[in-house]
Amino acid sequence: EKGGYDSFMEKEIHDQPQAVADTLLGRTDAEGRLVLDEMNIDESVLKSIDKIVVIACGTASYAGQVARYAIEHWCRIPTEVELAHEFRYRDPVVNEKTLVVAVSQSGETMDTIMAVRHAREQGAKVIAICNTNGSTIPRESDAALYTHAGPEIAVASTKAFLAQITACYLLGLYLAQLRGNKFADEVRAILDELHQIPAKLSQILEQTKGQVQDLALRYSEAGSVLFLGRHVGFPVALEGALKLKELAYIHAEGFAAGELKHGPIALIEEGQLVFIIVPSKRGRDSLHAKVISNIQEVRARGANTLVIAEEGDEAVREYASEVIYVPQSPTLLAPLLTTVPLQIFAMALATSKGLDVDQPRNLAKSVTVE
Ligand code: M6R
């Protein structure tokens, strides 16, 4: 049932091209327009919302953080992302004009269930983005948009994360399509790019896995690993750090690269391992240059820099101890690719320490208590 792999986690990492493809499947009509049949919330209501709040925990919340950049850009609707357990106890301002998006692989996370109930009590409409048919969160929501990643067994979430980002993007594109016709061509173009992601994921799994596994062996004694990212790379950094904590029990921390000089750079000393997720140069040139100078800054202080960049980006080589290249994609879609080397790194490092990557200590697959 592990499909020939050593662990469920490894299998699920390899399921990712399919998970993204299946989440996209059957959601466009012959004209290339997005149709989300399950969106049984009145169009007039969806047109009138003035705020989106994504609630989730752990990895699902990072999917929400990635999606926020895309949803605000496409829809021009203010979007917040909040940990469900913080949202619930904060007396948040939500009302009939708020769309709450609850993201959960299991659909049984108690913190998220409580937040959904609270949001609905305030009159908000709730859409669940969920991987488990008929689970509590979609049942208690106004509508459900399912990720079709297939069952995720390993405690550390991998394929569900990519499917969650994909589904959140579909929702964002759907709202954009609904709210303005001018946008139709752009929606089609982004959908086309999304459809190219599975093949690019397969390429990473075929061409890059070995390189990342070797790196994990080389750095298996690391006592602490830092992750830097900017824009959509920031939540990817957080996710990379979470995977390493969960699986390898190593202290790991993700930072927004722009924060470096506001504190975290004090942590850098000789031999500190730092992952840096570099944004595409074709996106916003200025951001690319800023992250390159971050690499330089940590390198100058003795860090070992593992850089994730898109193919063709030669500028990153100068200060990188090692570059892990991923295929080119539009900036907003890059997290669907740049996350994968970080998953493989955490899995390989934990495996090299003899740890059980499917069942890390102290954790449960779904957290059904508050
Ligand atoms: O089932 P959910 O998506 O609601 O679970 C949320 C988190 O508990 C989950 O993502 C957790 O952080 C994973 N162990 C991360 O790998």
Side-chain angles (χ1 to χ4, degrees):
E1 50 192 1
K2 292 179 190 161
Y5 294 103
D6 290 339
S7 62
F8 282 108
M9 184 179 181
E10 188 178 17
K11 173 186 176 291
E12 287 159 9
I13 286 175
H14 281 266
D15 284 346
Q16 293 184 112
Q18 198 64 48
V20 172
D22 287 348
T23 301
L24 292 170
L25 196 70
R27 283 173 163 158
T28 34
D29 66 13
E31 277 83 54
R33 278 180 69 82
L34 201 52
V35 268
L36 298 182
D37 292 334
E38 54 270 77
M39 200 54 64
N40 47 6
I41 296 178
D42 256 17
E43 287 199 359
S44 61
V45 174
L46 291 176
K47 280 182 182 156
S48 70
I49 55 165
D50 62 9
K51 181 163 91 167
I52 295 175
V53 182
V54 182
I55 49 173
C57 301
T59 289
S61 79
Y62 301 146
Q65 286 198 37
V66 169
R68 174 178 167 212
Y69 293 87
I71 295 175
E72 287 197 328
H73 178 65
W74 295 331
C75 305
R76 310 308 299 153
I77 304 170
T79 303
E80 297 167 9
V81 184
E82 191 156 6
L83 293 167
H85 34 89
E86 286 297 317
F87 172 87
R88 168 67 186 84
Y89 291 100
R90 192 177 53 82
D91 197 11
V93 181
V94 287
N95 55 40
E96 299 72 25
K97 291 192 166 216
T98 313
L99 180 65
V100 169
V101 181
V103 185
S104 173
Q105 188 286 130
S106 63
E108 299 297 349
T109 299
M110 188 50 80
D111 289 314
T112 311
I113 295 172
M114 297 307 284
V116 166
R117 288 181 186 158
H118 185 70
R120 294 196 74 198
E121 277 162 20
Q122 316 297 307
K125 290 283 180 219
V126 179
I127 296 181
I129 291 193
C130 186
N131 198 45
T132 313
N133 261 302
S135 56
T136 307
I137 292 171
R139 272 194 285 113
E140 293 207 11
S141 299
D142 296 283
L145 184 57
Y146 281 102
T147 48
H148 296 146
E152 194 180 63
I153 310 289
V155 166
S157 187
T158 54
K159 62 178 179 174
F161 178 64
L162 296 201
Q164 283 160 352
I165 295 173
T166 306
C168 285
Y169 278 17
L170 290 177
L171 175 63
L173 291 169
Y174 180 78
L175 292 174
Q177 179 179 276
L178 199 75
R179 292 162 70 101
N181 291 332
K182 274 196 300 191
F183 194 67
D185 285 344
E186 206 179 328
V187 172
R188 247 187 297 263
I190 298 161
L191 282 171
D192 280 351
E193 290 283 356
L194 271 171
H195 280 104
Q196 291 174 35
I197 293 291
K200 294 178 184 179
L201 283 167
S202 299
Q203 187 187 323
I204 296 175
L205 293 169
E206 278 156 31
Q207 295 174 7
T208 317
K209 191 178 173 196
Q211 179 197 6
V212 178
Q213 282 171 324
D214 290 347
L215 281 172
L217 287 181
R218 192 185 313 161
Y219 292 108
S220 64
E221 298 306 315
S224 143
V225 184
L226 305 182
F227 295 74
L228 300 178
R230 206 170 168 136
H231 191 256
V232 286
F234 172 35
V236 172
L238 298 174
E239 171 64 2
L242 178 60
K243 289 288 93 96
L244 204 56
K245 289 178 218 177
E246 280 189 296
L247 296 165
Y249 319 147
I250 291 176
H251 175 259
E253 206 67 57
F255 296 107
E259 272 295 287
L260 198 58
K261 19 184 166 327
H262 299 286
I265 198 162
L267 291 169
I268 309 293
E269 56 186 9
E270 195 63 36
Q272 171 68 53
L273 193 57
V274 185
F275 270 96
I276 303 108
I277 300 116
V278 179
S280 158
K281 205 176 166 149
R282 295 165 305 114
R284 266 188 224 138
D285 210 16
S286 59
L287 271 194
H288 177 266
K290 289 198 167 86
V291 176
I292 299 273
S293 54
N294 292 143
I295 306 176
Q296 199 175 336
E297 284 153 12
V298 296
R299 183 62 186 263
R301 290 164 178 84
N304 291 323
T305 48
L306 305 185
V307 172
I308 301 180
E310 73 169 21
E311 279 165 4
D313 186 344
E314 292 300 321
V316 294
R317 284 194 189 274
E318 192 175 348
Y319 304 104
S321 308
E322 179 108 359
V323 185
I324 302 159
Y325 281 112
V326 297
Q328 296 188 349
S329 69
T331 301
L332 287 170
L333 306 195
L336 294 167
L337 305 176
T338 52
T339 303
V340 179
L342 301 180
Q343 298 168 338
I344 296 169
F345 183 82
M347 176 180 70
L349 204 148
T351 306
S352 80
K353 293 172 104 181
L355 301 172
D356 178 349
V357 295
D358 287 339
Q359 289 285 339
R361 70 184 180 200
N362 307 343
L363 294 170
K365 181 62 183 161
S366 50
V367 182
T368 54
V369 288
E370 263 193 286

